[in-house]
């Protein structure tokens, strides 16, 4: 019943910005985490960041990020729409890849195998 759908990918010049969305449905836990991962061409899927849901809202102060995207990417959530966003600024060619959102309960994790549900991804291409 859980469904995650990403959107917002595209082609962006170096230094540009994109905002990705992850629309979630069927999530009934009282506390869960929504994460973002990315997979560059020829590389493994890696953790980008995550945000925690609790107490009826997203906790931006408990969001965490990979060092490679910290200070450039920001995760936020829309409580009413059950949507999580990944705002990406100062994009570089190295940010190119398929971006996935994922869900698990209670705690964030950087390990792909720890996450219970996945979207199908959206492609982001940073051009030089």
């Amino acid at each position: 019943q859980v469904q995650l759908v990403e959107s917002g990918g595209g082609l962006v010049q170096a230094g540009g910005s994109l905002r990705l969305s992850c629309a979630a449905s069927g999530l009934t836990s009282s506390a869960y985490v929504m994460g973002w991962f990315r997979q560059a061409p020829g590389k493994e899927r890696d953790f980008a960041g995550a945000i925690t849901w609790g107490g009826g809202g997203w906790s931006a102060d408990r969001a965490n990020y990979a060092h490679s995207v910290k200070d450039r990417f920001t995760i936020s959530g829309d409580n009413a729409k059950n949507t999580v966003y990944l705002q990406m600024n100062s994009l570089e060619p190295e940010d190119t890849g398929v971006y996935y959102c994922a869900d698990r309960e209670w705690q964030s994790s950087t390990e792909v195998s720890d996450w219970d549900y996945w979207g199908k991804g959206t492609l982001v291409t940073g051009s030089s």
Side-chain angles (χ1 to χ4, degrees), residues 38-63:
R38 62 184 186 174
Q39 188 165 15
K43 299 182 66 177
E44 296 183 349
R45 190 174 301 184
D46 289 326
F47 176 80
I51 190 169
T52 298
W53 171 277
W58 297 102
S59 299
D61 60 335
R62 295 187 64 84

Side-chain angles (χ1 to χ4, degrees), residues 23-108:
S25 62
L27 299 175
T28 59
S29 298
S30 59
Y32 56 91
V33 185
M34 195 72 67
W36 286 96
F37 289 75
R38 62 184 186 174
Q39 188 165 15
K43 299 182 66 177
E44 296 183 349
R45 190 174 301 184
D46 289 326
F47 176 80
I51 190 169
T52 298
W53 171 277
W58 297 102
S59 299
D61 60 335
R62 295 187 64 84
N64 62 293
Y65 304 91
H67 291 317
S68 60
V69 306
K70 191 175 180 63
D71 300 325
R72 297 189 299 122
F73 293 7
T74 302
I75 301 174
S76 62
D78 185 330
N79 295 345
K81 297 181 179 180
N82 284 342
T83 303
V84 171
Y85 304 98
L86 179 64
Q87 178 67 48
M88 304 184 294
N89 300 323
S90 301
L91 285 165
E92 302 291 342
E94 292 77 15
D95 296 313
T96 294
V98 177
Y99 284 68
Y100 301 87
C101 62
D103 172 76
R104 71 188 303 264
E105 293 187 0
W106 299 111
Q107 299 183 83
S108 180

Side-chain angles (χ1 to χ4, degrees), residues 4-25:
L4 307 176
V5 180
E6 303 96 335
S7 62
L11 175 64
V12 182
Q13 292 184 347
S17 298
L18 279 177
R19 188 175 76 161
L20 306 183
S21 298
C22 175
S25 62

